[in-house]
Amino acid sequence: MGVLEYIANFCTITTSTNNKKKSMQTVEIKVKMDCDGCERRVKNSVKHMKGVKSVEVIRKQSKVIVNGYVDPNRVLNKIKSTGKRAEFWPYVPYNVVYYPHAPQAYDKRAPAGMVKNVPQAFLAPNATEEKFAQLFSDDNPSACSIM
């Protein structure tokens, strides 16, 4: 049967030229929505896209969460086509960043417990002095056996 399968591969005609599968993604987008009509218009525009599994709208945070096999840029453009100003979700949780009060990181319009995702807020990968400062911290007396 191995020879027949080998020959069958040469004889089959593939109609699909794009075999690239998209991975399951969660796309978070910030969209200012004022009323139920705005919320419904944004949700319906994204809900009927190919590959979308679920759409969740959180109006209080001005946030749209789309799950599915989609391209994030296509989702963003589809939401922008409704006439709303949209951008990718620019916030990260407060406890993830190392310097939450870094310049441009603190935003008073951000939801509670969130700061802007800027490079200044994260620890540099080669910052060894910060690692040593935490080793001998007074907050953690059991970290060093010398003291």
Side-chain angles (χ1 to χ4, degrees), residues 34-103:
D34 299 326
C35 61
D36 291 335
C38 297
E39 182 179 336
R40 186 174 44 252
R41 188 173 357 149
V42 169
K43 188 173 185 174
N44 286 338
S45 70
V46 177
K47 181 171 59 171
H48 299 296
M49 287 180 66
K50 183 179 178 182
V52 173
K53 298 296 178 193
S54 68
V55 179
E56 181 182 353
V57 178
I58 306 170
R59 191 185 341 165
K60 190 172 183 177
Q61 290 185 350
S62 299
K63 185 177 187 178
V64 177
I65 303 170
V66 180
N67 291 318
Y69 301 98
V70 293
D71 180 27
N73 292 321
R74 288 190 64 212
V75 173
L76 182 67
N77 290 336
K78 191 71 170 179
I79 291 176
K80 283 183 178 180
S81 72
T82 62
K84 295 289 182 185
R85 198 175 84 199
E87 63 179 327
F88 289 113
W89 188 251
Y91 304 115
V92 293
Y94 187 82
N95 59 356
V96 172
V97 295
Y98 196 74
Y99 301 111
H101 296 291

Side-chain angles (χ1 to χ4, degrees), residues 100-112:
H101 296 291
Q104 302 163 352
Y106 183 75
D107 187 7
K108 60 182 171 182
R109 293 176 302 202

Side-chain angles (χ1 to χ4, degrees), residues 17 19 25 40 61 122 132 140 146:
T17 58
N19 291 335
Q25 294 186 17
R40 186 174 44 252
Q61 290 185 350
F122 291 98
F132 290 129
N140 190 1
I146 299 172

Side-chain angles (χ1 to χ4, degrees), residues 9-19:
N9 285 337
F10 287 117
C11 296
T12 57
I13 299 171
T14 58
T15 58
S16 173
T17 58
N18 188 6
N19 291 335

